[in-house]
Amino acid sequence: MWLQGGDDCPPGVRFETDPSLPPEAFRLTGGKGGCLIESADEAGRMYGGYALLAKLALGGTPETISMTNAPAVSERILNHWDNLTGDVERGYSGKSLFFKNGEVSYDPQRMKDYARLLASVGINRVCFNNVNVTPLAARLITDKLGDLAQLAAIFRPFHIKTIIAVDFSSPILLGGLSTADPLDGGVAAWWAKAAETVYKAIPDLAGFLVKADSEFRDGPAAMGRTQADGANVIARALKPYGGKVYWRCFVYNCEQDWRDTKTDRPKAAYDHFFPLDGSFDNNVILQVKHGPSDFQVREPNSPLLGAMKDTAQAMELQVTQEYTGQQIDLYALAVQWEEILSAPVSDTRSTRGLVGQEIQAVAAVANTGDDANWTGHTLAQANLYAFGRLAWDPSLTAREILSDWIGLTFGTNPALREPLLNMMLDSRGVYEKYNAPLGLCWMVNINHHYGPSPEGYEFSKWGTYHRADAKAIGVDRTDNGTGYTSQYHPYLRALYSNPDTCPEELLLYFHRLPYTYTLKSGKTLLQHIYDTHFEGAEDVEGFIETWDGLQPLLPESAYYSVAARLKRQLVNAREWRDVINTYFYRKSGIPDRQGRKIYP
Ligand code: GCV
């Protein structure tokens, strides 16, 4: 590591301590002879060093470098959904970097590279195992703990602390108790003992991550206890060691009857957690998905974010592209995250304004695996990079971040950088054009979630319905419908409740409207759907043209691997176009005004 005097450390760098700087912060002051890095702690030195290297790589000279920088939140967390078998849930970049054949197993050099990679973008917490904890993975806190501790030790010099995903039923599964009831004294004692053992092996462990009462995972609800009871029993066990519980709020009824129009899945997180504000111990962080559905291409921000004044929260993003193209389709998530952060929470505040206040941590599901380029799609590296940069500084724009990523990855030649930047900035909008329209969500193939299936989730148990008929589509979530809008601040409630003021891209998330409804463009809703779907597929043809034009400026392997994925993206975009347009044509019987090919 370059701090220890080797590897990357550029000549002429001096370090000084300035105790007045906040934790992890740094000040860079350039001069003719080199650069001074000041910080209060070692982590700040390291981040200052990486920032300096990035500046130099982007063409800066030591004399021009001058910056002071501190992270917006103290916990910038990467969650892997890796199983001990070596498979990665929702992973699109090969096998696990950490596990194989039921064991903790990794290439030590690659692991060091990975730790360095994460640290260089500011990530300082990592959970290696999946939130869906299998019985085998549960043993990471018992007989497999020693192996996990060795893995944690590789990340420690890079100021990255480990988090372990644990099973709520561990007292039964591992301890042989008859219950996991959080109010049972034996259960509390079991967690206390488990914490003692774990902290002996990993003294700086950040804490435990828990998915409970969610998608068939056990949790306190089954025992008639609250989410706060469940989180607190574990939090109290971790407290003496400074550990935290990261308790996920992805709690909803995943066995709904599609005939039931009263239950509305997006309401679930708020309904379950908001009434418990103030009941969680102060070392519990509630981890809230950014949207009320599930990492969809377009959904509003969760009304739970920032709503609990007496409870710490982490906002959860998804870097792995489960619903956003699976690292086959190009999708620069920075664009979506910038929108999420810019979205209002009231008439005076944006979500960005919550970060560092009500939102005290930012977490994301990783997109990495053992593929040689880490992320399958080479350009998807930019998504991991963007997560780190935004978690550190949520005021950055997608343009700034992606421009830096391109510069650091492919060099600063504007002939390459500008067209590629534009392509990446457009990529989210293009994907959205050929996906489910206007915030409708869920028109994907079931289980694996790639490609179109307009009614794939329509009659399922997952609470994911658009209820299209011959005349109209969408769910009325206003007070006249499911009442979901009432969970928002009055300003947003009014904004979303009126189709005239509702952001048009979210229209069908909040409203049920006829295909003939006129949008601000003057087009009908249906014509908008046809047009965007034809455009989306054409735009992908444009991406291919742009990428081919850049071939002479790109490393050969990157050119060919991305070119191959763009071809697959075009097939996907055309499939989406034809399936969605045909679906709506068959439902409504209304033809495309431009008479383009739709399948009767
Ligand atoms: C880890 C979605 C995904 C699941 C995931 C779950 C979660 O439902 O499809 O694979 O499980 O979210 O976030 O817990």
Side-chain angles (χ1 to χ4, degrees):
M1 201 178 137
W2 73 280
L3 268 184
Q4 273 120 40
D7 296 12
D8 321 322
C9 188
V13 175
R14 285 186 304 119
F15 297 102
E16 273 178 26
T17 303
D18 179 350
S20 71
L21 285 167
E24 303 185 298
F26 60 86
R27 184 187 300 120
L28 298 183
T29 316
K32 280 224 169 66
C35 193
L36 172 66
I37 302 178
E38 292 167 285
S39 69
D41 53 22
E42 276 207 18
R45 275 183 178 209
M46 179 187 75
Y47 293 127
Y50 286 131
L52 173 62
L53 288 171
K55 290 264 170 220
L56 295 175
L58 289 169
T61 52
E63 300 92 85
T64 58
I65 291 170
S66 161
M67 70 188 286
T68 303
N69 215 324
V73 290
S74 58
E75 298 197 70
R76 304 171 298 279
I77 307 166
L78 198 62
N79 290 169
H80 293 87
W81 285 352
D82 291 23
N83 296 319
L84 264 79
T85 53
D87 296 324
V88 181
E89 183 159 347
R90 312 304 177 189
Y92 313 106
S93 314
K95 292 283 189 181
S96 172
L97 286 161
F98 323 112
F99 308 118
K100 196 176 171 182
N101 298 334
E103 302 295 336
V104 179
S105 167
Y106 49 85
D107 169 349
Q109 182 53 48
R110 192 151 200 217
M111 207 43 55
K112 193 174 159 195
D113 290 347
Y114 189 54
R116 179 170 170 272
L117 186 159
L118 298 187
S120 75
V121 297
I123 289 163
N124 68 356
R125 301 280 184 274
V126 62
C127 181
F128 301 107
N129 66 306
N130 191 354
V131 288
N132 288 328
V133 184
T134 60
L136 194 60
R139 287 164 45 196
L140 285 171
I141 59 171
T142 54
D143 57 302
K144 294 189 184 295
L145 178 60
D147 295 335
L148 186 69
Q150 286 182 24
L151 183 59
I154 299 178
F155 287 73
R156 188 168 295 120
F158 296 90
H159 302 280
I160 297 174
K161 291 184 179 173
T162 295
I163 293 172
I164 309 176
V166 297
D167 190 316
F168 186 77
S169 288
S170 294
I172 302 173
L173 202 67
L174 302 169
L177 302 192
S178 58
T179 177
D181 183 347
L183 300 192
D184 181 281
V187 169
W190 188 89
W191 281 113
K193 186 74 196 145
E196 187 189 340
T197 309
V198 169
Y199 274 88
K200 267 194 197 123
I202 311 178
D204 59 347
L205 186 87
F208 288 165
L209 169 64
V210 192
K211 172 176 177 177
D213 286 320
S214 170
E215 300 184 333
F216 311 107
R217 310 296 312 166
D218 283 331
M223 292 140 218
R225 308 301 184 196
T226 69
Q227 297 297 305
D229 295 332
N232 290 344
V233 69
I234 305 179
R236 284 168 200 164
L238 300 179
K239 181 93 174 170
Y241 313 96
K244 292 185 179 167
V245 170
Y246 306 86
W247 187 265
R248 296 182 82 230
C249 296
F250 190 51
V251 177
Y252 68 99
N253 176 8
C254 66
E255 294 187 281
Q256 196 179 326
D257 186 333
W258 58 269
R259 298 166 190 87
D260 164 14
T261 52
K262 295 272 176 307
T263 311
D264 189 18
R265 173 169 163 179
K267 293 170 76 176
Y270 188 96
D271 280 350
H272 281 108
F273 287 90
F274 180 73
L276 296 173
D277 191 18
S279 328
F280 292 91
D281 283 13
N282 64 6
N283 60 330
V284 175
I285 297 193
L286 293 186
Q287 197 161 306
V288 184
K289 286 194 183 188
H290 69 77
S293 290
D294 188 12
F295 302 133
Q296 300 295 294
V297 176
R298 177 71 69 177
E299 50 179 314
N301 285 1
S302 168
L304 192 60
L305 282 171
M308 299 175 75
K309 301 299 169 209
D310 296 314
T311 309
Q313 291 187 337
M315 175 163 68
E316 185 179 296
L317 304 169
Q318 195 185 43
V319 194
T320 196
Q321 292 173 238
E322 178 178 357
Y323 294 95
T324 53
Q326 305 203 347
Q327 279 129 262
I328 297 166
D329 298 30
L330 177 64
Y331 193 110
L333 280 153
V335 178
Q336 184 171 4
W337 296 335
E338 186 184 338
E339 289 166 5
I340 289 168
L341 288 162
S342 309
V345 283
S346 70
D347 45 344
T348 54
R349 290 183 89 190
S350 69
T351 306
R352 185 177 288 119
L354 302 177
V355 180
Q357 309 286 321
E358 290 90 335
I359 298 176
Q360 299 179 7
V362 185
V365 184
N367 66 345
T368 40
D370 73 351
D371 277 1
N373 66 358
W374 303 102
T375 55
H377 198 311
T378 298
L379 302 183
Q381 293 171 2
N383 289 334
L384 182 61
Y385 176 80
F387 167 65
R389 294 287 307 274
L390 271 179
W392 181 284
D393 181 358
S395 72
L396 291 171
T397 63
R399 175 174 287 277
E400 288 166 321
I401 295 169
L402 295 173
S403 174
D404 281 357
W405 181 80
I406 296 167
L408 292 167
T409 308
F410 296 123
T412 54
N413 179 355
L416 170 79
R417 202 176 184 178
E418 282 309 309
L420 182 52
L421 177 60
N422 289 331
M423 179 166 143
M424 292 178 82
L425 286 170
D426 287 347
S427 62
R428 186 274 166 105
V430 168
Y431 189 87
E432 184 176 19
K433 279 188 200 171
Y434 60 78
N435 209 267
L438 300 164
L440 213 48
C441 309
W442 299 117
M443 288 189 150
V444 286
N445 280 309
I446 56 165
N447 300 329
H448 63 75
H449 299 165
Y450 188 73
S453 178
E455 295 197 339
Y457 277 102
E458 193 53 22
F459 301 99
S460 74
K461 60 186 178 182
W462 297 96
T464 47
Y465 318 114
H466 55 67
R467 305 191 191 280
D469 64 19
K471 296 217 154 49
I473 185 158
V475 175
D476 182 351
R477 296 199 157 101
T478 69
D479 292 349
N480 302 325
T482 71
Y484 165 65
T485 49
S486 70
Q487 296 182 342
Y488 286 95
H489 181 280
Y491 167 77
L492 283 179
R493 178 182 185 173
L495 189 88
Y496 292 147
S497 294
N498 180 348
D500 292 338
T501 55
C502 179
E504 217 157 56
E505 62 278 7
L506 285 169
L507 208 51
L508 296 179
Y509 199 93
F510 287 105
H511 298 278
R512 178 167 186 81
L513 293 169
Y515 299 117
T516 51
Y517 179 84
T518 308
L519 298 177
K520 295 196 177 75
S521 62
K523 289 181 190 177
T524 63
L525 197 146
L526 187 68
Q527 192 57 41
H528 171 89
I529 294 175
Y530 291 150
D531 287 352
T532 48
H533 284 75
F534 282 112
E535 272 167 36
E538 274 168 32
D539 290 346
V540 178
E541 289 170 19
F543 286 169
I544 292 175
E545 221 170 276
T546 304
W547 188 250
D548 283 349
L550 297 175
Q551 182 176 4
L553 304 173
L554 285 161
E556 203 173 317
S557 65
Y559 167 74
Y560 283 109
S561 73
V562 172
R565 289 188 188 236
L566 286 171
K567 272 198 194 119
R568 291 168 70 190
Q569 177 171 1
L570 184 58
V571 173
N572 189 39
R574 287 177 174 159
E575 186 68 2
W576 271 97
R577 174 197 66 193
D578 292 342
V579 171
I580 296 292
N581 284 346
T582 300
Y583 177 75
F584 283 110
Y585 174 65
R586 288 182 185 170
K587 278 273 172 205
S588 68
I590 304 172
D592 169 35
R593 286 202 178 133
Q594 295 190 44
R596 290 162 291 193
K597 180 76 186 163
I598 293 181
Y599 298 79

